[in-house]
Amino acid sequence: MANLVAPQPLLNLADPPEDGISSVEFSPTSPDVLLAASWDATVRRYDLNRDRPLVAAATQPTACLAATFAGDDATAVVGCVDGSVRVARVDGALQGGQAAALGAHDAGVRCLKYDAQHNVVFSGSWDRTVGGWDPRASNGRVATAEVPGKVFALDLAFGAADTKLVVGTSDRHVVLFDARNLSTPLQHRESSLKHQTRCLKCFPDATGYALSSIEGRVSVEYFADGDQARKYAFKCHRAGKVVYPVNAIAFHPLLGTFATGGSDGGVSLWDGAHKKRLAQLQPFPTSVAALAFNTDGSKLAIASSYCFEEGEKDHPKDELYVHTVLNHEVTPKASQPSA
């Protein structure tokens, strides 16, 4: 049985985005700095140490589907619904100013991930390509790869010997690349889940990834051939016979446990190694669209934002919450003291 978390004080951020929240990401170097991209055509930077956390709201030409820090806490790369990949300053000095374009895909840019080691931002687009970009360059494209479907999710696995780029596309394809060379995939897989991919996140130890679908399931997959017998899938974010999409996955950076967020408004925390749910948070007002742990795992950002699973209808306003993580919510079962 999971431990249902008693109601905890949540930080409900002032000045949230005014339309659907598409992504959230903490700074890799500052545990209290948060980036959020939104369909309201802004990318917003928050500093949780401030009385008024909003530092900047950089306006873009069109809806923002993804954003990532690139190089420092004042620079964001943004992916937009018009296909553009842009660099925005989010230090507050250019609040409201538009960003400089690095280049563009032929369709919306759904996801972005920054490789600090090589100073490359990877983008995944609905035009069935992955791009690599140098955020310092005016014409920044450094690599392109075709993939077999629209890109719905991508992430990087930072291993000791190499960095893998893992891409989840339409029609349940999963493609693995060496991040240094997009010319030829390392591997082409098919998702073990039978429905459309929603999210994909790599393990912190770079040995595999978790993938979620629109049909209330998560699969836990491994890269090495010798680990294939360990892979499994499980059901989650369901209420009786009603099944909800699992929109978001976030791994604790130190412990390897992970959180999932669904269109039921729920957030659950899991010990994947021991196949146990550790905790549930109290339900949020509407769909959980995105999740992110901060760099030390002490905070979990939660985007409560209707994902239009039921089409146009009245729905709660978009909100950004920050949950202070409790030890028992993220500590693997084998490491917890006996009751």
Side-chain angles (χ1 to χ4, degrees):
M1 293 291 291
N3 297 316
L4 185 64
V5 176
Q8 297 292 325
L10 277 176
L11 176 60
N12 186 349
L13 292 183
D15 305 306
E18 298 175 0
D19 202 348
I21 302 169
S22 49
S23 74
V24 292
E25 178 181 289
F26 276 101
S27 163
T29 56
S30 303
D32 293 308
V33 174
L34 179 68
L35 195 66
S38 170
W39 281 83
D40 70 0
T42 67
V43 56
R44 296 173 184 237
R45 178 191 171 200
Y46 299 87
D47 185 340
L48 306 183
N49 289 316
R50 294 164 55 113
D51 291 337
R52 194 77 175 186
L54 182 65
V55 175
T59 302
Q60 307 306 305
T62 187
C64 305
L65 303 183
T68 186
F69 286 108
D72 58 58
D73 292 349
T75 304
V77 174
V78 188
C80 297
V81 75
D82 66 355
S84 61
V85 180
R86 314 179 72 83
V87 177
R89 294 293 292 176
V90 287
D91 57 2
L94 297 179
Q95 184 159 334
Q98 290 193 357
L102 285 176
H105 288 269
D106 292 332
V109 178
R110 181 63 189 92
C111 36
L112 295 166
K113 188 70 177 181
Y114 178 57
D115 178 356
Q117 181 178 356
H118 302 100
N119 197 37
V120 174
V121 175
F122 293 99
S123 59
S125 172
W126 293 333
D127 70 359
R128 299 174 177 244
T129 68
V130 172
W133 308 86
D134 181 346
R136 302 163 298 184
S138 58
N139 184 8
R141 189 188 289 267
V142 296
T144 303
E146 294 185 359
V147 290
K150 295 180 179 179
V151 179
F152 293 151
L154 65 75
D155 200 12
L156 290 167
F158 297 102
D162 62 3
T163 299
K164 292 183 177 66
L165 175 67
V166 188
V167 184
T169 80
S170 56
D171 298 322
R172 302 170 41 245
H173 298 287
V174 177
V175 187
L176 279 62
F177 293 92
D178 183 329
R180 299 164 299 182
N181 179 10
L182 301 189
S183 61
T184 304
L186 297 174
Q187 201 173 125
H188 183 178
R189 299 182 173 192
E190 183 178 276
S191 168
S192 59
L193 304 181
K194 302 303 181 186
H195 294 267
Q196 178 180 298
T197 297
R198 196 70 157 187
C199 186
L200 183 155
K201 294 292 179 181
C202 293
F203 302 169
D205 68 3
T207 60
Y209 58 91
L211 181 148
S212 69
S213 78
I214 61 171
E215 190 253 344
R217 291 178 189 263
V218 171
S219 66
V220 176
E221 309 272 348
Y222 294 86
F223 295 132
D225 291 342
D227 286 335
Q228 295 311 300
R230 299 172 60 195
K231 70 180 182 180
Y232 67 94
F234 63 93
K235 300 176 182 178
C236 53
H237 297 281
R238 297 170 177 233
K241 295 183 178 180
V242 182
V243 179
Y244 296 92
V246 183
N247 302 315
I249 302 170
F251 275 91
H252 191 282
L254 306 178
L255 298 173
T257 50
F258 62 94
T260 59
S263 291
D264 57 347
V267 173
S268 290
L269 295 111
W270 307 90
D271 177 356
H274 298 96
K275 303 181 183 180
K276 300 289 185 181
R277 184 164 61 186
L278 297 170
Q280 288 176 283
L281 304 189
Q282 294 292 319
F284 290 87
T286 186
S287 312
V288 173
L291 294 169
F293 280 102
N294 68 347
T295 186
D296 64 9
S298 64
K299 295 180 175 67
L300 178 65
I302 300 153
S304 175
S305 183
Y306 178 54
C307 294
F308 289 84
E309 305 89 344
E310 300 175 15
E312 291 281 355
K313 70 172 189 178
D314 290 337
H315 56 84
K317 69 174 185 175
D318 303 291
E319 302 276 13
L320 271 175
Y321 297 92
V322 177
H323 171 69
T324 298
V325 176
L326 304 178
N327 285 338
H328 78 268
E329 297 171 349
V330 293
T331 303
K333 281 289 186 180
S335 302
Q336 294 186 14
S338 301

